[in-house]
Amino acid sequence: MLASNIEIIKQTVPVIQERGEEITQHFYHLLFEENPELKDVFNMASQSNGRQPASLANAILGYAANIDRLAALGDAVNNIATKHFSLDIQPEQYPIVGRNLLKAIREVLGAEVASDDVINAWAEAYGQLANILIGAEKALYENMKNTAGGWSGFKPFRVVNKVQQSSEITSFYLKPVDGQPLPSYKPGQYLSLKINDASLANTELRQYSLSDSHNSDSYRISVKREPAPQHDIPAGVASNFLHDNVKVDDTILVHAPAGNFYLDDSDKPVVLISGGVGVTPMLSMLNDLVRQHSPRKITWFHGTRNRQTHAFREHINALDNDLANLTKVVFYDDVAGATQDTDYNHEGYMTAQLIKENCPLDAEFYFCGPLPFMQAIHTLLRQLGVADEQLHYEIFGPSEALN
Ligand SMILES: NC(=O)C1=CN([C@@H]2O[C@H](COP(=O)(O)OP(=O)(O)OC[C@H]3O[C@@H](n4cnc5c(N)ncnc54)[C@H](O)[C@@H]3O)[C@@H](O)[C@H]2O)C=CC1
């Protein structure tokens, strides 16, 4: 990039900090007005509840702030490219986004702040970022093409089994219709599903964590039914469609596994902490450790509302009985009708004290759950002195940072 443009981008950091979300909200409005078909690529619930514009504003701010030291963006670029790979984003979509982003910057900030020089600097910066992402995505597409059984885009899978795991979580077992082998994946990774039906306003693309370790027979995802939407913000459109409409023998379009949240292969102790449906990637990790006969010390922390919502209880109890290196600690918000030890161990939320008592603090910690849960666990682990490098987590939906 031109040195003068880099300088201009750095000067725009404060205004992006202040008005970034206004710009990205307007950007999505322009984008969908010009290209309504792109509503099929984005989760429209994340548009309505503001998470997607907030996430994009944050990403743009991170880019602008680091424009003169791009190496600092490594993880962010990798995460965006991986998400794009799972959505099958193609190079020709970048100019459409770029054009509308520049237009949004100009229209929100006005020609006085967003002068021609500023717009030109952002055009160059956007072009640079697009090239970095397109390159990273190309590597992911090629890698999948060279994997046994790998495929590009979305291909049909048959639902070969549907199993209820709790009052609200149901597993779907999926096999490729073309009978090709299943590419292996890392425990913690997810699939993207494309859900297309006349009853839905848009085609829905959603990511679901694979909930078992890799096996050559089928992929398994486990999906939570979401409560009815509030304040007209759609919620659970795809998940509830899967629960209500997708039956054994139906076919569904699936993108190959992806994701940067997965189990390390060290021999350090490992602590898996989940809240609610955040159990799914944790279970994939646990089952993978079990299948490999890993000697690692494993601690399983799981919090759920009550006995009815407690998914995979029998599976985890059986592993707990069999494995000397596994410690299970389960928390219920409400223990009515439940039996201590077989169902749950503690009533209420996880505490720093109970984490300290049950987990080696030199472990690798993986956690996943609803956002307030993630924030609470992140804070507790930091209070216990666990280093950032030992913390691994995934937030479902548009990326957000935990502080
Ligand atoms: N990684 C992510 O971003 C995840 C997001 N979600 C989303 O969150 C929503 C709720 O998920 P559910 O499975 O219904 O979870 P939930 O609301 O049933 O909560 C599960 C458990 O998390 C714990 N928890 C909840 N709030 C907490 C807090 N403030 N502090 C400490 N612990 C807390 C409790 O033990 C609770 O039983 C869903 O819409 C789901 O899509 C769920 C799992 C993962």
Side-chain angles (χ1 to χ4, degrees):
M1 271 185 73
L2 287 173
S4 55
N5 280 345
I6 290 181
E7 223 22 68
I8 294 176
I9 297 293
K10 280 161 67 178
Q11 283 162 11
T12 58
V13 167
V15 74
I16 296 171
Q17 202 146 23
E18 199 183 322
R19 305 191 63 188
E21 273 189 63
E22 234 181 296
I23 295 172
T24 54
Q25 297 237 8
H26 188 51
F27 155 72
Y28 282 115
H29 169 76
L30 293 173
L31 184 74
F32 296 137
E33 197 173 57
E34 188 192 69
N35 310 274
E37 71 285 358
L38 288 181
K39 287 186 182 173
D40 291 345
V41 178
F42 288 88
N43 178 338
M44 295 314 283
S46 301
Q47 293 293 332
S48 318
N49 64 22
R51 279 184 74 189
Q52 182 73 41
S55 173
L56 178 61
N58 205 32
I60 293 174
L61 184 61
Y63 179 51
N66 291 293
I67 194 83
D68 51 356
R69 44 191 182 112
L70 294 179
L73 296 171
D75 277 355
V77 165
N78 196 9
N79 288 339
I80 296 171
T82 303
K83 185 80 180 279
H84 284 180
F85 163 75
S86 81
L87 295 169
D88 202 35
I89 299 293
Q90 297 298 327
E92 54 272 22
Q93 291 169 311
Y94 279 87
I96 303 171
V97 167
R99 189 171 65 241
N100 284 289
L101 189 59
L102 295 179
K103 196 170 168 202
I105 293 174
R106 172 81 93 171
E107 289 183 3
V108 169
L109 299 183
E112 210 165 299
V113 178
S115 63
D116 287 350
D117 284 350
V118 167
I119 293 295
N120 288 339
W122 269 102
E124 192 185 6
Y126 177 80
Q128 172 178 269
L129 182 59
N131 284 338
I132 294 171
L133 288 171
I134 289 168
E137 286 153 28
K138 186 165 176 240
L140 292 171
Y141 291 122
E142 303 234 311
N143 182 41
M144 182 46 64
K145 217 161 67 189
N146 297 328
T147 302
W151 74 97
S152 60
F154 290 81
K155 82 170 182 179
F157 274 61
R158 192 170 306 288
V159 177
V160 293
N161 201 2
K162 195 175 164 183
V163 177
Q164 190 169 354
Q165 311 287 4
S166 75
S167 58
E168 52 191 22
I169 297 179
T170 292
S171 291
F172 295 79
Y173 292 75
L174 309 168
K175 278 187 178 187
V177 170
D178 63 11
Q180 289 294 306
L182 286 172
S184 113
Y185 59 88
K186 295 182 175 140
Q189 289 192 309
Y190 55 78
L191 298 178
S192 287
L193 266 55
K194 185 184 264 194
I195 299 170
N196 207 337
D197 189 82
S199 67
L200 301 173
N202 302 297
T203 297
E204 302 288 344
L205 282 183
R206 288 294 187 287
Q207 287 73 41
Y208 292 100
S209 298
L210 287 141
S211 62
D212 199 357
S213 64
H214 178 71
N215 65 83
S216 51
D217 190 46
S218 60
Y219 286 149
R220 183 181 75 177
I221 56 167
S222 305
V223 179
K224 179 186 166 240
R225 176 190 286 286
E226 296 293 342
Q230 290 176 342
H231 313 300
D232 283 341
I233 294 179
V237 176
S239 297
N240 294 352
F241 183 85
L242 288 169
H243 274 262
D244 295 335
N245 298 74
V246 176
K247 308 178 296 296
V248 171
D249 271 349
D250 285 354
T251 55
I252 191 141
L253 292 169
V254 178
H255 192 277
N260 294 324
F261 174 67
Y262 50 80
L263 188 64
D264 68 282
D265 54 8
S266 77
D267 52 9
K268 288 176 67 181
V270 53
V271 180
L272 306 173
I273 309 181
S274 55
V277 69
V279 69
T280 52
M282 297 304 145
L283 187 55
S284 179
M285 294 183 193
L286 177 63
N287 286 352
D288 193 67
L289 289 162
V290 173
R291 284 214 173 111
Q292 290 179 43
H293 303 288
S294 170
R296 293 173 79 169
K297 181 170 170 40
I298 310 164
T299 315
W300 175 264
F301 259 65
H302 178 59
T304 187
R305 289 197 301 279
N306 53 49
R307 190 172 191 278
Q308 285 68 41
T309 60
H310 188 179
F312 304 106
R313 180 182 53 229
E314 276 143 35
H315 174 71
I316 301 292
N317 282 351
L319 293 181
D320 188 42
N321 281 336
D322 285 354
L323 300 173
N325 58 333
L326 174 65
T327 305
K328 172 200 76 157
V329 193
V330 172
F331 297 76
Y332 282 3
D333 301 2
D334 175 0
V335 300
T339 311
Q340 197 160 18
D341 295 335
T342 37
D343 293 333
Y344 73 98
N345 303 91
H346 301 281
E347 182 175 1
Y349 288 170
M350 295 169 194
T351 61
Q353 184 61 28
L354 286 167
I355 293 178
K356 204 165 106 183
E357 278 171 21
N358 288 284
C359 308
L361 293 181
D362 61 347
E364 296 296 330
F365 289 81
Y366 294 82
F367 55 103
C368 185
L371 209 50
F373 166 87
M374 306 274 291
Q375 271 151 348
I377 299 300
H378 194 246
T379 305
L380 292 183
L381 293 175
R382 280 185 148 182
Q383 279 167 358
L384 289 170
V386 178
D388 281 349
E389 304 78 68
Q390 294 166 258
L391 302 179
H392 314 275
Y393 55 88
E394 176 163 78
I395 296 175
F396 292 173
S399 67
E400 286 176 56
L402 295 182
N403 299 306

